Amino acid sequence: MAVPNVDNPSRPLKSDLSLAIKVFAGEVLTTFETSNVTLDKHFVKTIQHGRTAQFPATGITTAALHTPGAYLTPGAILSDEKTVTIDGLLLASTFIADIDEAMSHYETRSIYAEELGRALAMEFDKHVLQEILLGARASGLAGQPNGTVVTDANLGSTTLATKADAFVKALFAVAASWDAANVPASPRYVALKPSEYYALVQGIQTNGFSAIHKDYGGQGSIATGKILNLAGFDILMSNNVPTTDLSGD
């Protein structure tokens, strides 16, 4: 029986494995999704025409017992308005060259469309959170209380317990301020950056209290890394909370 000669085999790939056919996995890796947390948490107004929207604002009045025969002294209700100006058209765009699409063996348009939608949602979220900060610094309308700003150097602490302690105190300070101003008790939301959010989940405060401790009625779980409520606020997490001074933008 003849033995084949294998000393000089044919090598279609030669020594360059990059010539080998690549197996398409059927999946396209995309960037991590940045969730939008503000869309359903605030008032949304659709402006069909024009560039501004006017919102009338009224103050409050007082009540008192009436003495028969005495003249009525009506209370004056202050009036004010808030005008909201459209920033501009929010866009996210990309271009797909026909030749690239023709030479690709996977469909790109749906993937790109999804990424464009995520970019719009993220930018939308950033703008809403920036407006919330501006609102906290603004004067009240129609004689009502001003916005609430709480300052505590320990909010930026690198010590977990100190940071968690400061955020718990800050949330209760805001809640007390809002209650004093007769702000509706529900719904109330707070958006935290991931480092702050997880500080509340993990942090054991100086008094031994934990924001998720079941014995104290805390809601959440260190197993899931979630904290649900604190000081009457629904706790949200967002990478879009501003970290720099954008007042000049």
Side-chain angles (χ1 to χ4, degrees):
M1 181 176 180
V3 178
N5 183 1
V6 294
D7 292 336
N8 189 27
S10 297
R11 298 291 306 278
L13 300 181
K14 300 181 180 179
S15 59
D16 187 1
L17 295 182
S18 65
L19 298 177
I21 296 177
K22 301 173 181 64
V23 177
F24 177 49
E27 299 177 357
V28 177
L29 300 179
T30 62
T31 57
F32 290 106
E33 181 175 359
T34 303
S35 60
N36 183 304
V37 301
T38 63
L39 182 59
D40 60 344
K41 305 296 189 302
H42 74 292
F43 179 73
V44 177
K45 175 70 173 179
T46 300
I47 302 176
Q48 298 289 354
H49 303 284
R51 61 184 299 270
T52 61
Q54 179 191 38
F55 297 87
T58 58
I60 60 176
T61 187
T62 58
L65 295 174
H66 173 61
T67 301
Y71 289 104
L72 292 176
T73 304
I77 301 178
L78 298 178
S79 297
D80 208 335
E81 71 174 21
K82 179 67 175 179
T83 300
V84 176
T85 303
I86 296 175
D87 292 327
L89 188 62
L90 185 62
L91 292 175
S93 61
T94 191
F95 173 80
I96 306 173
D98 289 342
I99 184 64
D100 290 344
E101 186 175 30
M103 295 177 66
S104 298
H105 63 296
Y106 62 94
E107 194 272 326
T108 59
R109 291 178 181 266
S110 63
I111 299 297
Y112 287 0
E114 187 175 359
E115 288 302 323
L116 292 175
R118 289 173 180 170
L120 288 171
M122 183 172 66
E123 195 64 26
F124 177 89
D125 227 22
K126 288 180 178 179
H127 281 261
V128 173
L129 290 167
Q130 290 168 24
E131 290 295 334
I132 291 173
L133 291 182
L134 293 176
R137 301 168 182 168
S139 300
L141 296 174
Q144 297 305 295
N146 299 331
T148 301
V149 177
V150 175
T151 303
D152 188 337
N154 289 331
L155 291 171
S157 174
T158 56
T159 302
L160 195 62
T162 303
K163 190 182 189 75
D165 199 27
F167 267 98
V168 171
K169 290 179 179 178
L171 288 177
F172 275 102
V174 173
S177 174
W178 285 10
D179 288 340
N182 295 314
V183 175
S186 179
R188 292 180 176 181
Y189 304 100
V190 59
L192 302 177
K193 292 179 289 187
S195 60
E196 300 159 351
Y197 184 95
Y198 291 120
L200 285 177
V201 174
Q202 301 176 78
I204 304 298
Q205 297 163 248
T206 53
N207 60 1
F209 172 77
S210 169
I212 63 172
H213 201 297
K214 298 296 184 181
D215 292 343
Y216 293 94
Q219 298 185 32
S221 167
I222 196 169
T224 60
K226 300 293 184 182
I227 178 171
L228 305 180
N229 305 95
L230 186 61
F233 291 90
D234 290 343
I235 310 296
L236 310 174
M237 180 172 61
S238 174
N239 285 318
N240 297 324
V241 176
T243 56
T244 58
D245 183 5
L246 301 172
S247 58
D249 294 342

